[in-house]
Amino acid sequence: MAMLLLGAVLLGTVGLSVGSWYGGRGVTPPSDDRVRSMTAELLPDAVPYDSTRVVHGHRWGVDLAADDLGSGQVVFWYLDRADCGLSEQLRRNAAKQGWQGLRRVPGYPCDGWRAERDGLTVTLDYSASGSRLTVAPAVPDRFLAVTVTGILLGAAAGAALFWLAARRRRPVPLLVGTLVTVGLLPGVALTWASVDMNRLAEPVWPIWPALAPLLVPLWLVLLSMGLYVLRRRQNRTGPATGSPGRRAEAGIETSRSDMRTTLVMTVAGVLAPLVTAAALLLLFARAQPDRPAAEPVVPWPIEATAHTTSHPSPTGTEAEASPRASSGG
C-alpha cells in the first residue's frame, strides 16, 4: 500500500504539471493601453521607472511558447520603498475596484498581493531585485478540468507501475522505487512548493525541463548500478544443485549480493538530498529576475532670465516646433 501511494503521489504530480501545461495553452497577452490604464487605477501615486513587454515568458530558466500560460505579460518596475507603501496601495485600490481573489504573495522586505479581474491577473511582489508589478492573462476556463484529469491519469499510472514492481522478486521493487523517487522527488517538491505559493497562477511545468540536466545523469548512473547488481544477483542465485557445501556457498553469495544491493540503495538515498539541494540552489539563482538598469537622470532645462548672458542656440526639434507654435497661437 505504501508503494502504491508513493507512485500515485509522484506520477500524479507529473500529471498535474502536464495537465496545467496543456490546459494553459491558447492564452492571448493583454493590450498595452488596457494594462497601463489598469495600472494607473491600482497604483495612481506610483510612477514606474521601467516597463518591459515580455512576449515569451521565462520561468525557471525555460522559455515559454507564445501561447503558454504566463508567456504574454507586462512588467513594471518601481523604486524600493521600505514602508511597503505600494503593497498597501494596491490592496486598498483593488478592494475598492472589485478585484477578485485578492491574496498575499510572500516576499522580502514586504508581502505583495495578487488579484484577478476581466481575464487578467495582477501581481505585486518584492524581492532583492526590487518591487515589480506583473500583469498577465488569467487561466483559461478549461484549465482546472484538464489539470485534474492530468492528476488522476498520472496517479493511476504511478499506482499501476508500483503495483507491478511490488509483485516482482527482490530487489526489483527496491530498485524501481529508488530510481523513480530519485528522479521525480525534486521536481515533485518544487512543484508543490510553487502550487502552495502561486496556486497555479504561474506555470509549474518548466520546473521539470530545468531539473532534467541535473537529475537525468544521476538517474542513469543509478540505473546502471542497479542493473549491474541485479544481474550479478540473478547469476549467483540460480538453481542450487549439488552438495550441501555448494548450497551453503550459494547462500553466502546471495547474502553478499543483498548487501551490495543495500549499499547501492543507501548511496542513492544519500545522493538524492545532495542533488536536490544543489538543484534548488541553481534554480533559485536562475529564477531571480534581472533588475533593469535605471535610466540616467537628465537635468531639467534652465529657463532664460533677464540675467542670462549667453543664449544657447535651440536644437533642431525646438527650431521646428517654434514656427508651428507661433502659427498655432
Side-chain angles (χ1 to χ4, degrees), residues 31-289:
S31 62
D32 291 337
D33 295 338
R34 184 184 180 189
V35 168
R36 294 185 182 277
S37 62
M38 188 175 298
T39 304
E41 294 175 359
L42 291 174
L43 299 176
D45 300 332
V47 178
Y49 69 88
D50 188 82
S51 63
T52 307
R53 177 70 178 178
V54 181
V55 179
H56 298 285
H58 195 72
R59 295 291 186 281
W60 298 98
V62 177
D63 294 325
L64 307 183
D67 60 345
D68 284 334
L69 175 63
S71 61
Q73 60 180 350
V74 180
V75 180
F76 298 91
W77 291 88
Y78 296 87
L79 295 176
D80 298 336
R81 293 190 175 185
D83 58 351
C84 303
L86 288 180
S87 179
E88 179 61 24
Q89 187 179 159
L90 178 66
R91 183 198 65 79
R92 183 175 61 253
N93 293 331
K96 290 181 180 179
Q97 297 174 17
W99 286 76
Q100 305 295 325
L102 185 64
R103 63 185 181 87
R104 291 184 180 273
V105 176
Y108 178 83
C110 310
D111 289 341
W113 293 92
R114 171 175 285 139
E116 180 178 341
R117 193 187 73 178
D118 299 334
L120 292 179
T121 299
V122 175
T123 305
L124 176 67
D125 59 338
Y126 291 81
S127 66
S129 302
S131 56
R132 62 175 180 175
L133 181 71
T134 304
V135 183
V139 296
D141 296 335
R142 60 170 185 173
F143 180 80
L144 181 60
V146 176
T147 302
V148 172
T149 302
I151 294 175
L152 296 178
L153 293 178
L161 173 64
F162 275 62
W163 177 73
L164 292 175
R167 298 184 59 186
R168 301 290 301 272
R169 286 185 174 184
R170 294 182 58 190
V172 173
L174 185 60
L175 178 63
V176 173
T178 301
L179 291 174
V180 176
T181 302
V182 170
L184 300 181
L185 185 59
V188 169
L190 290 176
T191 298
W192 285 111
S194 180
V195 170
D196 180 66
M197 180 180 299
N198 301 316
R199 297 184 183 178
L200 291 177
E202 295 183 358
V204 296
W205 62 265
I207 293 174
W208 298 97
L211 280 174
L214 295 172
L215 295 180
V216 170
L218 174 65
W219 191 83
L220 292 177
V221 171
L222 294 178
L223 177 62
S224 302
M225 296 173 62
L227 293 178
Y228 173 76
V229 173
L230 180 62
R231 184 175 180 180
R232 287 178 62 89
R233 176 184 173 88
Q234 291 177 349
N235 292 337
R236 298 190 181 217
T237 57
T241 57
S243 62
R246 295 188 59 183
R247 294 179 182 176
E249 182 179 355
I252 294 174
E253 294 296 335
T254 302
S255 177
R256 292 177 178 175
S257 179
D258 292 339
M259 292 179 61
R260 294 190 186 96
T261 303
T262 304
L263 178 62
V264 171
M265 300 312 165
T266 303
V267 172
V270 172
L271 288 178
L274 295 178
V275 173
T276 303
L280 289 174
L281 291 175
L282 179 61
L283 291 178
F284 177 79
R286 297 177 63 183
Q288 292 301 311

